[in-house]
Amino acid sequence: MRVYVPLTLPALAQAHRAGELGPGPLTAYAVTPGLREWYVSDDIEELEYAALTRAAHGALRLLAADPDAVRKRVVVAVDIADGAVHADPDRALDPDALGEVRLEAAVPLGKAAAVHVDADGAAVDVAKAAEALAAAYGGDADAQFVVDGADDHELLWFATQEIEHLIAG
């Protein structure tokens, strides 16, 4: 199963040094039954993009909690056994938890298929979105507009061999 793990660049650097994403438990995103029902599509590529987008929002939450991190969302796509992924059926259709899964153990970085990171040009919008996130969650429509602005930036795809370059720059 392909899952998308939200990170920050410092967390990606730590994972690179440790050789694994973790320690567990980790919050990740995947194509869950709830995400399928919400998205109303049978196209697996569209569903995986929706899971990636949910993970990018998770990375934004991590950035909001770490004001010193470079203002770029990071998502690592990993392929792991279905049995290692746990979704909470009670939260399957909760708008805040769509596609959310739990990985109980650390995941070897060798299982990563790709890394998705914001381009340099997204940093200003991502920084504003991270700053506005709490207000958006509180119902502030203007803040939500700012948060949605980060979604206008597509995450770039990088091969796992490029991680060293990503964390160096």
Side-chain angles (χ1 to χ4, degrees):
M1 169 180 259
R2 169 87 29 113
V3 299
Y4 300 91
V5 181
L7 296 175
T8 61
L9 280 173
L12 180 62
Q14 171 59 31
H16 185 260
R17 284 190 298 276
E20 65 184 16
L21 299 166
L26 296 168
T27 298
Y29 296 83
V31 178
T32 62
L35 185 70
R36 282 181 189 275
E37 188 172 328
W38 171 76
Y39 199 75
V40 191
S41 175
D42 289 331
D43 185 324
I44 192 63
E45 287 184 16
E46 287 181 15
L47 289 164
E48 286 189 351
Y49 182 77
L52 172 64
T53 301
R54 299 292 297 168
H57 193 78
L60 188 60
R61 284 193 299 274
L62 295 173
L63 288 171
D66 184 358
D68 295 329
V70 175
R71 304 333 252 171
K72 289 184 178 186
R73 298 167 298 167
V74 177
V75 175
V76 179
V78 296
D79 294 317
I80 60 174
D82 291 356
V85 178
H86 305 284
D88 183 348
D90 294 332
R91 296 188 69 205
L93 295 176
D94 178 344
D96 294 328
L98 285 170
E100 189 176 288
V101 296
R102 196 115 179 123
L103 308 175
E104 296 303 327
V107 178
L109 200 52
K111 292 190 179 265
V115 179
H116 303 271
V117 181
D118 276 309
D120 291 339
V124 170
D125 288 340
V126 170
K128 288 178 184 176
E131 189 174 302
L133 197 58
Y137 283 157
D140 182 324
D142 291 334
Q144 186 62 54
F145 181 77
V146 172
V147 170
D148 291 344
D151 290 337
D152 291 340
H153 297 278
E154 296 285 332
L155 297 179
L156 303 177
W157 182 95
F158 294 91
T160 57
Q161 299 88 331
E162 297 177 273
I163 291 174
E164 201 165 316
H165 169 72
L166 290 169
I167 60 178

